[in-house]
């Protein structure tokens, strides 16, 4: 008998024990008005049909609705410098805990977007969101969401910590060189290239990427002057369109010193640099397509009930 019960799923084993107790009279209990003994009342009925909410991951989890990014939230490093002396300014470092512990702006708190949505008593403060400079579209959307929740003053440090360091500002902790923080992996480059608020430019060595990255420009030479000329052309052609950063794809041999020179030429606009191969990007694109395909097929049918 014990081996038989051990082999059964626990809910069925519980049912067997309860029914045995009912029939054998051990601890017998009177049936209720619905005809079920007390021992069976808390057990859900077995069902081979999924409920509507079984297939909705995160249902009822309070997921925030999508909002349009507010690019008006962007402030340069110089503006944040002036705000640091104000007592009502709250700096929110949205990077991961390890990155924050390694280095951060003095006084910045390491909080997530969800943390901020629960701190409604901060609505009278000037809140500045600080990220890693590589996925800022999300921060601009979060800024808009916080405004909807009643925050009066919310801003995003344009370029995040990489731009703060590129403009030689102090930090608590030990930070790597600004050009190192500006470098992108293949996945980060793909994500940055999909944001229409970024200008994507390619060196001659990376011109083959133009077929993979829509609306990208090829530079005649990778110099500060050529980069600034491309930026001015972009601003004339897309007047009034927000510009968050310049994303540059260069040869893998680019040195930090050259990246730093290009960064200084664009201040206060952030510069992000991709220095990996086209093959690495193609692999990333294949992976992304596989993810899209899996999402299109939808989740597998849940095995509900017993």
């Amino acid at each position: 008998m014990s081996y038989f019960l051990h082999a059964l799923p626990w809910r069925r084993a519980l049912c067997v024990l309860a029914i045995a107790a009912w029939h054998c009279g051990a601890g017998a209990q009177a049936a209720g008005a619905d005809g079920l003994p007390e021992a069976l009342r808390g057990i859900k009925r077995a069902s081979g049909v999924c409920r509507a909410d079984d297939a909705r991951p995160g249902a009822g989890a309070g997921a925030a609705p999508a909002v349009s990014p507010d690019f008006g939230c962007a402030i340069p490093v110089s503006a944040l410098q002036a705000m640091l002396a104000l007592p009502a300014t709250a700096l929110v470092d949205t990077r991961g805990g390890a990155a924050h512990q390694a280095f951060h702006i003095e006084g910045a708190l390491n909080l997530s977007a969800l943390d901020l949505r629960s701190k409604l008593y901060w609505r009278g403060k000037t809140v500045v969101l600080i990220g890693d400079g590589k996925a800022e579209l999300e921060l601009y959307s979060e800024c808009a969401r916080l405004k909807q929740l009643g925050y009066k003053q919310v801003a995003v440090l344009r370029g995040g910590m990489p731009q703060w360091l590129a403009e030689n500002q102090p930090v608590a902790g030990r930070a790597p060189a600004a050009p190192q923080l500006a470098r992108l992996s293949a996945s980060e480059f793909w994500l940055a290239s999909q944001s229409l608020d970024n200008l994507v430019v390619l060196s001659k060595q990376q011109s083959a990427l133009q077929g993979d990255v829509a609306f990208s420009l090829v530079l005649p030479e990778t110099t500060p002057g050529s980069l600034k000329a491309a930026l001015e052309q972009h601003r004339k052609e897309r007047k009034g369109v927000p510009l968050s950063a310049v994303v540059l794809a260069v040869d893998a041999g680019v040195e930090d010193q050259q990246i730093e020179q290009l960064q200084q030429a664009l201040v206060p606009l952030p510069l992000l640099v991709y220095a990996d191969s086209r093959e690495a990007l193609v692999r990333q694109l294949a992976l992304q397509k596989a993810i899209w395909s899996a999402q299109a097929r939808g989740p597998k049918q849940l095995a509900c009930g017993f």
Side-chain angles (χ1 to χ4, degrees):
M1 178 68 174
S2 61
Y3 173 80
F4 172 72
L5 291 178
H6 179 72
L8 287 173
W10 71 270
R11 290 175 68 180
R12 287 189 177 180
L14 180 60
C15 290
V16 170
L17 287 173
I19 293 171
W22 170 258
H23 284 291
C24 296
Q29 303 173 33
D34 54 5
L36 287 175
E38 292 295 332
L40 300 179
R41 286 194 172 210
I43 301 175
K44 294 181 180 179
R45 291 179 179 274
S47 173
V49 180
C50 296
R51 298 186 309 170
D53 57 353
D54 286 332
R56 290 189 301 150
V67 297
S68 298
D70 184 350
F71 295 105
C73 293
I75 62 170
V77 168
S78 58
L80 179 55
Q81 287 175 310
M83 296 165 62
L84 291 179
L86 302 177
T89 299
L91 305 183
V92 178
D93 188 343
T94 63
R95 298 175 302 154
H100 175 80
Q101 289 178 8
F103 66 95
H104 56 268
I105 300 175
E106 188 71 45
L109 300 176
N110 190 208
L111 300 173
S112 68
L114 190 59
D115 292 329
L116 281 176
R117 291 175 209 154
S118 65
K119 292 184 180 294
L120 296 184
Y121 51 89
W122 275 23
R123 287 180 294 186
K125 291 180 176 290
T126 298
V127 177
V128 182
L129 306 178
I130 304 167
D132 62 5
K134 297 179 180 179
E136 294 208 319
L137 193 64
E138 181 180 345
L139 288 186
Y140 292 128
S141 296
E142 188 58 38
C143 182
R145 188 175 291 113
L146 291 174
K147 288 181 178 180
Q148 289 182 350
L149 290 175
Y151 278 77
K152 303 300 181 184
Q153 299 290 333
V154 191
V156 175
L157 176 62
R158 185 166 59 180
M161 290 306 300
Q163 189 63 22
W164 181 261
L165 292 172
E167 298 190 35
N168 302 311
Q169 297 305 306
V171 296
R174 299 187 62 180
Q180 287 293 321
L181 290 178
R183 291 178 181 264
L184 301 172
S185 65
S187 59
E188 290 170 338
F189 174 66
W190 180 85
L191 183 62
S193 70
Q194 300 307 297
S195 296
L196 296 180
D197 56 305
N198 290 334
L199 168 62
V200 182
V201 290
L202 314 172
S203 67
K204 284 184 176 180
Q205 295 86 348
Q206 293 280 31
S207 59
L209 290 175
Q210 198 167 28
D212 305 303
V213 181
F215 307 111
S216 56
L217 303 175
V218 177
L219 297 175
E221 53 184 355
T222 312
T223 62
S226 180
L227 193 58
K228 292 174 73 173
L231 178 59
E232 289 304 315
Q233 176 186 345
H234 174 81
R235 283 174 168 163
K236 288 179 182 178
E237 293 176 351
R238 305 191 66 189
K239 190 174 297 183
V241 177
L243 182 59
S244 297
V246 174
V247 181
L248 171 65
V250 293
D251 186 67
V254 65
E255 297 182 353
D256 283 356
Q257 184 178 4
Q258 184 180 3
I259 294 177
E260 186 175 5
Q261 291 174 348
L262 297 173
Q263 284 179 317
Q264 295 304 316
L266 292 181
V267 169
L269 193 65
L271 174 69
L272 299 172
V273 178
Y274 177 67
D276 208 337
S277 65
R278 178 177 181 270
E279 288 72 23
L281 180 62
V282 169
R283 288 195 298 269
Q284 177 60 35
L285 291 174
L287 175 61
Q288 187 60 50
K289 288 179 181 178
I291 293 173
W292 284 335
S293 178
Q295 290 176 339
R297 290 194 299 269
K300 294 182 179 178
Q301 183 67 33
L302 295 175
C304 303
F306 285 105

